[in-house]
Structure formats: structure tokens, C-alpha cells
Amino acid sequence: MQPLVEPFFDSVTSTLTYVVHAGAGSVCAIIDSVLDFDPKSARTATCSADRVIAFVREQHLTVEWLLETHAHADHLSAAQYLKQTFGGRIAIGEQIRTVQRTFQGVFNVEVDAAADGAQFDHLFAPDETFTVGALAARAIHVPGHTPADMAYVIGNATFVGDTLFMPDVGSARCDFPGGDAHALYHSVRKLLSLPQETRLFMCHDYPPPSRNVCWETTVAEQRRTNIHLHDGVSESDFVEMRTRRDATLSMPTLILPSIQVNIRAGALPRPESNGIRYLKIPLDLL
Ligand SMILES: [Fe+2]
């Protein structure tokens, strides 16, 4: 059985959320949900996640999994909000512990963010198999952008996370703490060894002015035309290009709010004695 894939594009953060299911009334997984966050007012909102909720209700789907490909640095996860609404298990790769350890130091937090991954309902080991209702699935460890990135293979669809982008955009950056361009190269070769016709779904799209937003491609197309990682690009050439390019990129607007929430599986910090929740902003660190 092959999955149906419903994409939701969040234009503020250029993130794709996917609902993966087997038809009306079936079980589904929701991948990489977005909690809206306005950095000027520090207000959260649920417009993006509510579009997903409306679809899940309309299709009478049962949410079994709330999958995160990694601890995103560009948006807050809505996994907790979706879990409160539908239930389901929030899952990520087991290397999230490494990311938690790194950022515990950055944020100097221990209480809510023990580096044991216990904030998540499930941690995937590399190549762990699982099911989404009647659909067969597998988690693949694809480090490089972060140490904990996972790609999820569900039937003939693979959700690549921050590894490859559309062929004309290339690849994800590798300069966040724990990032590694060598590792990303090998992760991408692993993804591109899947069957040629595998449907690949991107985590983001940053389209050039000449085209609209896209999110789906195939292994064959990426191997032929990805500007950074088509067949024939050597590891050293890729690492040299990626490192040079990363040096020109500024930090994402939401990296500090996102990471400290996302390493807690999307849970916001506990309210302080006045009932207000606070995020931390480390100075002169990133
Ligand atoms: Fe990312």
C-alpha cells in the first residue's frame, strides 16, 4: 500500500508540514508541524497547525505519530498542540540527546531539558522500522545539518528533512552547533541510494524568483540535477562549497526561540511565579 501525502506550506518560515495517510478514515502521521511565532511581539499562534487539524478532521484520520525530522532552528514545533488535540506519539531521532547536551550549555537549562530525550514519546534508532496504520515505515539517520536529523521512509515516499532541497536550491546548511558537511554528504548519498522512483518530500523550499514553491522530487531527479549533490560531485568539492556558502549565511531569525522549545519536544517553558512564560536569549554566543 502506498501513502497519500497532503502538504501544508508555511510561507512565513518556508516549512512544509505533511500529513501522511492511507485514505479517509485511516491512521496518519504528521511530519514537522509549525507553531506560529512572531519574533517582534513573542506571540505564538496556531494558524498553521489549525489548517492541518482541519484536514485531519475532514478526512476522519487517527493521528498515530507526530514526527520531527530534527530540532528545527527556523520554526517552533506545534507537536504539543497537535498532541493535545488528537493524541499521538511525538518522535525524533535518538541523537536528539546530543543536540540537547549541546544546547543545555547554550541556554544553561537543566530542569525542563534533561538531555535524555525523555521529553519525546519515542526516539528512533537508525534504520528502525515502524508502521503508520497499514503503511510500512523506516527511520533513517541522516546527520549533517544537525547530529540528530532523521529521514522517514513511508511506503514509496521519503521525507528527507533538512538534507536535500529542491534540485535548483541544493542542500541544507551545516554550520549550526554539531553540524558537519562531511556527514551531510554521506547522508545524502544514503538517501540517493533509495530506488530511483522514490518520491522525495522536502522539509523547506526557498524558490528562486523564476518559479513557485515546490516540495516534491525523486531520487532520479536529484541524482541528475541537484546543484550541490548530483552524481559525480566529490565529498571534498561538496564540503568546500558548503563551508564557503555557510560562512555567508546569517543565523535564522527564530533560532533561539525555536531550539529551546524544540529540544523539549515543542513544550513551552513553564510559567514563572507571575504566570508568564519566558524564553532565554544568550548574548554574544552564536
Ligand atoms: Fe533545520
Side-chain angles (χ1 to χ4, degrees), residues 70 72-74 145 162 176 204:
H70 62 294
H72 304 273
D74 48 45
H145 172 64
D162 273 1
F176 296 156
H204 296 287

Side-chain angles (χ1 to χ4, degrees), residues 69-75 145-146 149 161-163 165 172-173 176 203-204 206 252 259:
T69 54
H70 62 294
H72 304 273
D74 48 45
H75 68 270
H145 172 64
T146 78
D149 274 63
D162 273 1
T163 54
F165 292 147
R173 63 194 295 178
F176 296 156
C203 184
H204 296 287
Y206 308 102
I259 296 271

